[in-house]
Amino acid sequence: MVQHEKFMRRCLELAELGAGLVSPNPMVGAVVVHDGKIIGEGYHQKYGEAHAEVNAIAQVTSKFDNPDELLRQSVIYVSLEPCAHYGKTPPCADLIIKHQIPLVVVGTRDPFAQVDGKGIEKLKAAGIEVITGVLETECQWLNRRFFTKVQKHRPYIILKWAQTSDGYFASDDSSQLWITGVESRKLVHKWRSEEDAILVGKNTVAIDNPRLNVRYWEGRSPKRVVIDRRLELNKQSNVFDQSVETLIFNEIEFNVDGKNRFIALEDFDRYVPQYILYQLYLQDIQSVIIEGGAHTLQTFIEAGLWDEARIFTGKTVLTKGIKSPQITGIIADESLIGDDRLQVLHNK
């Protein structure tokens, strides 16, 4: 089992390289092991392209003169159950059967209905031995966004905000205030590159005129989600610049203007977080990072609709202003980012 865990950890390392690139698919890593040595490895690199198992087997095929013989004597480790259905690509279970790999070690089953257990069943029916549940908790955590979307029919939700050392979110005079340092801002842009969408309320756009992109990090900017009930925002605001798809939730109109999509909710007085998240789920958005303002964050907190909260506390003292959101959860991590303290909470 120790040997299995060693190679599964490598699968997890590889899988994580697909962060921000494979959604709405899960991140998956695979390694092919022969006589205790890795002879091929791969990961799912981009949505719609080859899966991890395909890339790992292809590496064996390209590196060796006798790949078929080696594969018939090898073990393939994969962090998520091999698929058994035709999607964007053919079933990975069929590929493993074709190459007669005798043992497959799986981190966790795939919760997606078209796969769940079917890949394992197909492999076993072909006479292949399958071991499951190796580092299962770690494999599920890596794909917590995917599992949340499949099992809860909503995106995985990360709350993020910065607060002063005396617990204020912003000044009360609508002036812009930087609470955190450049190191924290770079980290936030890295986080943005890893999520499908970023959500803010109307006041955040009106006061800060943010671009909500990843200019401090190399990566893909997320889709933008704006809550503007009465469509009061200036159409020249940065969020409407057509650089990425932007969803504007309101109570007035359904409309499409280039990459800006206006989505009207029937009831803006009740269940707004629920309605918005279900619409995002229908758009195949797997994860959302909510960055403000304080009222928007508190609304999702009070609805119980959050999974992680990432809270920066800077050294700034404000003495008065808009109080930070109030939240309780399980403390998962605390660290220093430059001069700022970062606390990560998980929802109980």
Side-chain angles (χ1 to χ4, degrees):
M1 184 58 76
V2 172
Q3 190 84 333
H4 289 334
E5 290 184 357
K6 168 188 166 185
F7 292 121
M8 191 58 70
R9 289 195 190 284
R10 179 56 183 160
C11 290
L12 289 168
E13 290 172 357
L14 291 164
E16 202 161 9
L17 297 174
L21 301 171
V22 301
S23 179
N25 282 353
M27 295 176 280
V28 185
V31 297
V32 179
V33 177
H34 182 267
D35 283 344
K37 294 182 179 179
I38 295 176
I39 60 171
E41 58 183 31
Y43 66 98
H44 186 27
Q45 299 179 13
K46 188 176 180 181
Y47 175 67
E49 296 185 359
H51 289 185
E53 302 94 318
V54 175
N55 289 328
I57 290 170
Q59 195 174 93
V60 176
T61 303
S62 66
K63 281 170 59 178
F64 298 96
D65 295 329
N66 59 337
D68 292 335
E69 179 184 347
L70 288 172
L71 289 168
R72 286 195 297 269
Q73 301 166 5
S74 294
V75 181
I76 186 166
Y77 291 80
V78 59
S79 57
L80 188 72
E81 177 182 2
C83 60
H85 69 294
Y86 281 87
K88 293 280 185 181
T89 59
C92 292
D94 288 358
L95 182 68
I96 293 168
I97 293 167
K98 173 188 171 184
H99 287 285
Q100 301 175 49
I101 300 173
L103 175 60
V104 180
V105 180
V106 176
T108 184
R109 281 173 59 147
D110 189 326
F112 185 52
Q114 288 182 275
V115 181
D116 191 9
K118 296 180 178 67
I120 292 168
E121 289 169 9
K122 181 178 271 195
L123 293 169
K124 287 181 174 179
I128 292 171
E129 182 183 357
V130 181
I131 296 173
T132 61
V134 176
L135 297 185
E136 184 173 37
T137 300
E138 291 90 336
C139 290
Q140 290 178 354
W141 175 252
L142 176 72
N143 277 309
R144 56 197 182 276
R145 297 160 180 82
F146 177 71
F147 275 75
T148 298
K149 180 174 179 285
V150 171
Q151 295 173 335
K152 297 185 178 181
H153 295 173
R154 66 161 174 82
Y156 188 85
I157 304 162
I158 300 167
L159 310 179
K160 178 250 122 184
W161 72 84
Q163 61 190 20
T164 63
S165 60
D166 52 348
Y168 288 97
F169 182 87
S171 61
D172 55 10
D173 61 1
S174 297
S175 61
Q176 194 174 39
L177 172 70
W178 284 112
I179 294 173
T180 56
V182 65
E183 297 90 349
S184 296
R185 291 199 286 275
K186 285 182 179 178
L187 178 59
V188 168
H189 284 227
K190 176 181 182 292
W191 290 344
R192 289 177 179 177
S193 75
E194 296 168 349
E195 310 307 333
D196 285 356
I198 178 171
L199 184 151
V200 295
K202 182 196 74 173
N203 289 343
T204 297
V205 175
I207 295 168
D208 296 340
N209 194 21
R211 282 175 271 182
L212 304 180
N213 59 16
V214 293
R215 61 194 179 278
Y216 296 142
W217 191 262
E218 201 169 310
R220 171 193 55 83
S221 289
K223 294 181 180 180
R224 297 177 296 209
V225 181
V226 177
I227 304 173
D228 183 11
R229 180 172 183 169
R230 298 179 181 87
L231 296 181
E232 296 170 313
L233 287 170
N234 186 332
K235 293 302 182 286
Q236 301 307 309
S237 300
N238 288 326
V239 293
F240 303 124
D241 66 6
Q242 303 279 353
S243 60
V244 297
E245 185 176 357
T246 301
L247 309 178
I248 303 99
F249 286 95
N250 68 92
E251 66 178 5
I252 297 172
E253 67 171 317
F254 276 103
N255 191 20
V256 177
D257 175 19
K259 292 183 179 180
N260 296 331
R261 299 178 58 194
F262 296 83
I263 301 173
L265 300 181
E266 291 182 11
D267 186 348
F268 234 96
D269 293 312
R270 296 184 303 165
Y271 309 120
V272 172
Q274 290 88 340
Y275 287 141
I276 289 174
L277 293 180
Y278 185 63
Q279 286 294 327
L280 298 183
Y281 165 78
L282 294 177
Q283 306 288 334
D284 245 354
I285 289 174
Q286 190 165 264
S287 62
V288 182
I289 185 165
I290 302 177
E291 293 199 13
H295 174 73
T296 299
L297 287 159
Q298 196 66 53
T299 299
F300 280 84
I301 292 168
E302 290 173 1
L305 291 171
W306 64 280
D307 298 289
E308 290 182 50
R310 302 172 182 177
I311 306 164
F312 291 99
T313 302
K315 291 187 173 181
T316 305
V317 175
L318 203 53
T319 69
K320 66 174 184 175
I322 298 170
K323 293 292 289 184
S324 296
Q326 299 300 302
I327 192 169
T328 56
I330 299 166
I331 298 175
D333 188 42
E334 291 186 288
S335 59
L336 281 176
I337 309 297
D339 291 330
D340 307 319
R341 181 169 61 87
L342 171 62
Q343 186 179 65
V344 179
L345 302 180
H346 294 161
N347 195 340
K348 289 183 284 190

